[in-house]
Amino acid sequence: MALLSILRFPDSRLHTKAAPVAVVDDSIRALVRDMGETMYAADGVGLAATQVNVHKRVAVIDVSETRDQLRVFINAEIVARDGECESEEGCLSVPGVRDTVKRAERVTVRALDERGEPFELEADGLLAVCLQHELDHLEGKVFVQYLSRLKQGRIKTRLLKQAQEEKAKADA
Ligand code: NI
């Protein structure tokens, strides 16, 4: 197992569209394990492969309080959406930023699990929001893209400055 490094907005690689997984094999299962480990270490509730610079349709989510209910979504597609809700979101690729995003309140997804078995899941609440957020990543979309251009500009400036400061610290 290994911790993977997480791309940070505004890294252009975050806007890559992920390709479907052809076969769920041991390399995909290793990716899922590493992504799970990386997500837990960063204290996140979800992580998409795009965020670790792997452009395959794989996402992991754990919205449980006990942090031991890892859900794996391979080639996930939203097949139904219903209602509307607004909630505050954050993202491991946009550290320190939280803002309100409007999403469907309930979604139904079809996906493969880590054994390659198909399943369907109806989700609401945090899980539904998280699924839409992670599946957006796989389409190359980061949640800040729902915000105003002005806000996006400020977030970009702030994160670039933060990255520069971290680099200066590492070089010192
Ligand atoms: Ni995210």
Side-chain angles (χ1 to χ4, degrees):
M1 298 221 282
L3 284 184
L4 306 169
S5 79
I6 299 175
L7 299 178
R8 283 197 193 174
F9 185 79
D11 192 311
S12 61
R13 291 171 291 181
L14 284 169
H15 304 301
T16 313
K17 189 171 158 52
V21 171
V23 185
V24 180
D25 57 13
D26 286 344
S27 75
I28 295 295
R29 283 183 280 273
L31 171 66
V32 164
R33 277 195 301 275
D34 289 346
M35 284 173 60
E37 196 187 3
T38 303
M39 180 190 79
Y40 288 123
D43 211 18
V45 291
L47 188 69
T50 311
Q51 293 177 272
V52 294
N53 201 28
V54 175
H55 301 288
K56 293 178 181 164
R57 292 193 65 87
V58 177
V60 294
I61 293 178
D62 187 346
V63 293
S64 72
E65 285 190 6
T66 45
R67 314 285 290 144
D68 58 359
Q69 311 279 315
L70 189 73
R71 293 172 186 267
V72 177
F73 298 89
I74 297 166
N75 295 349
E77 301 287 348
I78 295 177
V79 293
R81 47 183 96 221
D82 182 34
E84 214 175 66
C85 70
E86 275 191 333
S87 58
E88 198 174 74
E89 297 186 21
C91 179
L92 294 176
S93 292
V94 197
V97 175
R98 297 192 65 82
D99 216 316
T100 305
V101 178
K102 196 187 281 182
R103 305 248 186 213
E105 195 176 5
R106 285 173 296 278
V107 293
T108 304
V109 294
R110 269 186 211 143
L112 303 176
D113 66 15
E114 67 273 32
R115 293 162 304 166
E117 298 291 331
F119 67 96
E120 194 172 287
L121 174 77
E122 274 182 51
D124 59 10
L126 179 57
L127 181 57
V129 169
C130 201
L131 268 166
Q132 292 170 83
H133 178 119
E134 300 315 327
L135 297 190
D136 270 356
H137 273 304
L138 300 176
E139 298 296 326
K141 187 163 186 179
V142 180
F143 87 101
V144 297
Q145 291 174 266
Y146 289 104
L147 308 178
S148 69
R149 292 222 165 258
L150 182 68
K151 273 191 182 173
Q152 286 185 51
R154 282 189 193 143
I155 292 167
K156 226 175 250 185
T157 306
R158 190 164 127 200
L159 287 182
L160 287 172
K161 192 169 161 235
Q162 204 176 304
Q164 258 172 10
E165 284 168 2
E166 277 170 24
K167 191 176 178 297
K169 226 181 260 174
D171 289 347

